[in-house]
Every structure is written in structure tokens, then in C-alpha cells.
Amino acid sequence: MIFFTCLFFGFIIAIMGSIVPSFLNLTVVKFSLKSGRKAAYYLIGGYATVLFFQANIGAYLSSILMENSQYITTIQKVGTGILLLLSINFFRLHVTKKNQKKKVEIEKSRAYLHGIVMSSLNMVAIPFYFTSLSLLIGLDYFEYSLFNSFYFSIGSTVGSFILYSVYATIADKIEHKLTFIATKMNFILGCITAIVGIGNVVYLI
């Protein structure tokens, strides 16, 4: 029962984290259109490999936080600073987006390695898993252990792989819509992180 519960939570949280348009799923779409679905699946495999470890790290960090609640205020202050810095960075990316050069197409044979590198550069994944699992632990829906973390990571890996595969499969139908949303994503993320950061400042004061 615990196995399926952890698997389920991992699957759902991964779906929630991957469904929002980002440079990862946008790359899957473009890769599928330029190099074919098979190459896109190798790219996704690279994503999934890194996400497995990111989910494990997020689970471990969440367990430390919940067992040492005296550090929560300090973490909130540090997190607030990071959120405000991220907000500034997202707005900067939105303003300078038009001046960036188009990415060079990656060869099929390097798709898996390219997926690993890109997923490793995704700095949002670990904080996302950390926050989500902290919430589940606080609600007594998840109890950290090596096995539970492993099961959760399997679920998150499968969920991410399936969702990204859907993007690769219907790439030709959603390319323009996803591209349009992605061009506004830095601005949207900037607004969200700014609102959350300012909210945390007010709460801490």
C-alpha cells in the first residue's frame, strides 16, 4: 500500500511540475519536429534520469526541514531573498529575450546526453519537489525513508516521462501555442515569484 501511495504522489507531483510550459517541454516539442519522435524520446530519457535524483534530493531535504522546524524561519528568509532575485532575473530574461540567438539543433546521437545536461540546469526541480513533499509530510500523507523516497522518485520519473512523451507525440499540434506561452513565461514567472517573495516579506515582518 505504501509503495502505491508513494508512487501515486510522485506521479501526480511530477505531472503538475512538468505540465507548465518551460524550456524543457518546449525543447521536447522542437526536438520532435526537427529530429523525430525517437530522438525526442532519448532526450526525455535524459530528463527522466536527472529528475529521478532530483526527486530523491528534494525528499531528503524536506525530511530534514520537517525534523528541524527551528530552521524554518531562517530558510524562509533565505528563500524569500532567492525568490526576489529569481523575479528580477525572470524579468531580465523577458526583456532581453528578443536579442537571444536561436539554439543550434542537436544531433540525434547526442539526444540523451543533451537531455541530461538540460535537466541538470533546471534549478526549479529540487525546490519544487522539496516544497511539495514538505507539504505532504506536514499533512501526514508522506513519511520519509529511503524506500519511500525511492518509490516516490520512480513515480515522479514515470510521470515526467509520460507527460513529456505526450508533448513529443502531439508536437505538431501544439508547437505554436506552446511557443507563444513560452515567450511570456519569463514574465509570468517573474510576477509569480515577485508576489510570493513580497508576501513572504510581509509575513516575516
Side-chain angles (χ1 to χ4, degrees):
M1 184 64 181
I2 294 178
F3 169 76
F4 290 108
T5 301
C6 295
L7 205 67
F8 172 77
F9 281 129
F11 184 87
I12 295 300
I13 290 175
I15 292 291
M16 291 171 58
S18 303
I19 199 170
V20 178
S22 66
F23 73 94
L24 292 181
N25 43 34
L26 183 61
T27 301
V28 169
V29 171
K30 291 185 177 296
F31 212 90
S32 179
L33 292 172
K34 292 181 179 180
S35 304
R37 292 180 186 175
K38 185 175 181 180
Y41 291 146
Y42 279 105
L43 178 77
I44 296 167
Y47 286 178
T49 300
V50 175
L51 284 169
F52 175 83
F53 294 103
Q54 289 175 329
N56 267 292
I57 295 172
Y60 176 71
L61 292 177
S62 65
S63 69
I64 294 178
L65 173 63
M66 300 308 292
E67 291 177 0
N68 300 276
S69 57
Q70 66 270 22
Y71 298 127
I72 291 180
T73 302
T74 302
I75 292 175
Q76 283 180 324
K77 291 178 180 178
V78 174
T80 299
I82 293 174
L83 282 172
L84 294 176
L85 289 175
L86 283 174
S87 177
I88 294 172
N89 184 57
F90 283 131
F91 285 129
R92 180 187 64 81
L93 291 174
H94 175 71
V95 173
T96 59
K97 183 75 174 178
K98 295 180 181 179
N99 298 324
Q100 294 178 354
K101 296 180 179 179
K102 292 184 178 179
K103 293 182 180 179
V104 179
E105 182 180 351
I106 306 298
E107 298 176 4
K108 280 185 180 180
S109 59
R110 300 172 58 190
Y112 180 76
L113 179 60
H114 186 58
I116 288 179
V117 172
M118 288 197 68
S119 189
S120 298
L121 294 174
N122 181 21
M123 296 292 101
V124 179
I126 293 177
F128 174 75
Y129 283 118
F130 165 77
T131 303
S132 300
L133 280 171
S134 294
L135 178 62
L136 291 178
I137 292 174
L139 296 173
D140 292 327
Y141 287 137
F142 184 85
E143 181 178 353
Y144 178 81
S145 70
L146 289 177
F147 284 110
N148 288 352
S149 177
F150 180 73
Y151 301 150
F152 175 86
S153 298
I154 291 176
S156 65
T157 303
V158 173
S160 298
F161 191 92
I162 290 176
L163 186 64
Y164 286 130
S165 296
V166 171
Y167 275 110
T169 303
I170 61 175
D172 56 333
K173 298 180 180 179
I174 64 173
E175 179 191 15
H176 298 298
K177 293 181 180 180
L178 192 61
T179 301
F180 174 77
I181 295 174
T183 58
K184 307 296 182 183
M185 187 51 57
N186 286 324
F187 179 76
I188 295 172
L189 290 174
C191 291
I192 293 174
T193 51
I195 292 172
V196 176
I198 293 172
N200 283 342
V201 170
V202 173
Y203 173 77
L204 290 172
I205 292 176

